[in-house]
């Protein structure tokens, strides 16, 4: 794999680990090549992210999707069954929104209202960009309304974990959300709407940014140090030197 980094290839792959308590932990390993200021390859940066919750989220979404399809297939749904489904969605920690093929919201659970506000019920999925300021992960460019996860689901597309930056008013803090969306298709293959699960990942994003800033500050200190500092790999090759040694 190091040879692939040397060739400038970025990779992501999943691993299943076993915790001490015997439970499984799923991690996503991201490997990126590192270059010095002259463009010379000096090593690789690897990051390991716990995606156990994300996988559980996918499973929850799958279960919700299956329950909603089952409800559409049944002409007569008992009141008790409907109450149980409603209770399940209302007690989920992640936001769940369900829209029909026209983009009209049929269901918004309390978690979604807490994340995005009660005004969510008063607009269609296609008017989200008017109600909220959605931005791409760069936080600079607005998220195109037609490319939002739920908008894609309403066109029959599936979206796996799209990060969206949400800007609110000055009185309300902005936040990061991770959105997974699926189209709702009946047994005849007809698109009936879409469902999206929304998770607040603001804390995770802030932690990642703090690590990035720390690494940048540390590198600045090393480069400004009057002593000669260098890094070598296990084969005694120079990986990086500071400005004093260069």
């Amino acid at each position: 794999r190091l040879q692939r980094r040397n060739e400038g290839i970025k990779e992501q792959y999943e691993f299943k680990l076993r915790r001490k308590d015997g439970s499984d932990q799923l991690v996503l390993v991201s490997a990126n090549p590192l270059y010095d200021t002259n463009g010379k390859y000096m090593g690789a940066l690897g990051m390991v992210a716990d995606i156990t919750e994300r996988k559980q989220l996918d499973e929850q979404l799958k279960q919700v999707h299956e329950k909603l399809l089952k409800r559409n297939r049944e002409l007569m749904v008992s009141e008790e069954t409907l109450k149980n489904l409603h209770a399940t969605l209302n007690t989920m920690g992640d936001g769940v929104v369900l829209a029909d093929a026209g983009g009209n919201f049929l269901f918004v659970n309390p978690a979604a209202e807490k994340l995005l506000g009660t005004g969510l019920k008063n607009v269609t999925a296609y008017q989200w960009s008017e109600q909220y300021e959605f931005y791409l992960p760069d936080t600079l460019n607005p998220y195109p309304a037609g490319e939002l996860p739920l908008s894609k689901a309403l066109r029959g597309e599936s979206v796996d974990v799209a990060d969206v930056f949400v800007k609110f008013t000055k009185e309300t803090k902005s936040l990061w959300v991770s959105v997974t969306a699926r189209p709702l298709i009946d047994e005849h293959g007809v698109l009936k709407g879409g469902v999206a699960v929304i998770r607040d990942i603001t804390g995770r994003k802030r932690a990642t940014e703090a690590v990035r800033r720390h690494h940048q500050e540390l590198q600045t200190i090393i480069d400004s140090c009057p002593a000669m500092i260098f890094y070598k790999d296990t084969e005694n090759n120079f990986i990086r030197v500071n400005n004093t040694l260069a």
Side-chain angles (χ1 to χ4, degrees), residues 77-92:
V77 180
S78 68
E79 183 178 353
E80 187 64 27
T81 300
L82 189 59
K83 285 182 178 179
N84 290 338
L85 176 61
H86 195 272
T88 299
L89 296 176
N90 279 339
T91 55
M92 286 182 62

Side-chain angles (χ1 to χ4, degrees), residues 86-154:
H86 195 272
T88 299
L89 296 176
N90 279 339
T91 55
M92 286 182 62
D94 298 312
V96 178
V97 295
L98 171 67
D100 62 21
N104 302 299
F105 288 107
L106 303 177
F107 176 82
V108 180
N109 77 338
E113 289 188 345
K114 184 178 179 181
L115 281 173
L116 302 178
T118 56
L120 186 65
K121 293 182 179 179
N122 301 323
V123 297
T124 68
Y126 301 109
Q127 295 173 315
W128 267 19
S129 292
E130 299 175 13
Q131 180 79 9
Y132 305 101
E133 292 186 68
F134 290 127
Y135 282 78
L136 293 168
D138 62 11
T139 72
L140 300 174
N141 296 302
Y143 217 115
E147 295 302 309
L148 287 168
L150 187 55
S151 297
K152 285 189 172 183
L154 294 176

Side-chain angles (χ1 to χ4, degrees), residues 14-18 24-27:
E14 296 181 6
F15 277 113
K16 180 184 288 188
L17 306 177
R18 182 62 56 85
D24 290 333
Q25 179 184 26
L26 296 174
V27 297

Side-chain angles (χ1 to χ4, degrees), residues 146-147 149-159 181-183 191:
E147 295 302 309
L150 187 55
S151 297
K152 285 189 172 183
L154 294 176
R155 297 198 302 268
E157 303 176 38
S158 295
V159 178
R182 294 287 187 274
L191 181 65

